[in-house]
Amino acid sequence: AAVLQSHKLGKYPVISVAVGAIVKVISTLALVSFESINIMASPISAILSCFTISAMNFVFIRKKVGYTPNFAKLIVKPLIAALICACGAIGSFKLYYMVTGIATVSLMLSILTAVIVYVLSILLIRGITREEVEMLPKGKKLARLLSKMKLLAD
């Protein structure tokens, strides 16, 4: 959306969001009628809506701005890291809960574990660039270190 807005094409993200809202309403109504899905219709519809909005924005960027975003860099690598993160979060929650027996403590520890797993995953699959790291506080030093370790994308 920001790319489109920066090119004075602000109406296109609005169109994407409007279509995404329609997709959410229709998919919620369609899915909630299935007894096996029921309340899960809401998060499923939200995901479908976000996917629709993102896909439309990608198409608008390509057609109106003339730029084709790197799909692997923007979607595939973060998705892989997110899936690894989710597995880490679920697995660590179960482990922490077996050890502590306290759901709240297990949840907090598994969230911390998930953050660490995501950062390590995105680095190991080289899903982040030197320029992105340099935008962080103390990013130049961190970027030098990560470059030496060959953990940054080209």
Side-chain angles (χ1 to χ4, degrees):
V3 171
L4 291 166
Q5 291 169 345
S6 70
H7 283 85
K8 307 277 191 254
L9 300 169
K11 71 179 180 181
Y12 293 101
V14 174
I15 293 168
S16 298
V17 170
V19 173
I22 292 167
V23 166
K24 182 164 177 29
V25 169
I26 291 171
S27 60
T28 300
L29 292 173
L31 292 172
V32 80
S33 63
F34 292 100
E35 193 172 309
S36 60
I37 297 175
N38 203 356
I39 194 69
M40 291 303 294
S42 183
I44 293 169
S45 297
I47 291 168
L48 289 172
S49 172
C50 290
F51 176 79
T52 301
I53 293 166
S54 297
M56 288 184 69
N57 284 339
F58 271 111
V59 170
F60 288 142
I61 289 169
R62 193 177 75 237
K63 291 193 181 229
K64 301 296 180 184
V65 178
Y67 173 75
T68 303
N70 183 334
F71 191 74
K73 179 184 172 206
L74 293 177
I75 304 294
V76 176
K77 288 184 177 184
L79 179 62
I80 291 168
L83 292 173
I84 294 168
C85 171
C87 292
I90 293 167
S92 66
F93 177 82
K94 290 179 180 181
L95 177 67
Y96 294 138
Y97 190 72
M98 282 187 340
V99 171
T100 66
I102 305 168
T104 306
V105 171
S106 301
L107 177 64
M108 294 302 151
L109 290 172
S110 66
I111 290 170
L112 178 62
T113 301
V115 170
I116 294 167
V117 167
Y118 184 83
V119 170
L120 291 174
S121 298
I122 202 75
L123 288 172
L124 290 173
I125 62 175
R126 297 181 51 165
I128 190 167
T129 65
R130 179 181 193 92
E131 294 78 26
E132 292 166 334
V133 173
E134 287 177 349
M135 289 189 279
L136 297 170
K138 305 286 185 188
K140 292 198 186 290
K141 287 182 182 180
L142 183 58
R144 278 195 299 272
L145 174 66
L146 294 173
S147 288
K148 286 179 186 176
M149 298 171 71
K150 300 192 185 315
L151 292 174
L152 297 177
D154 297 326

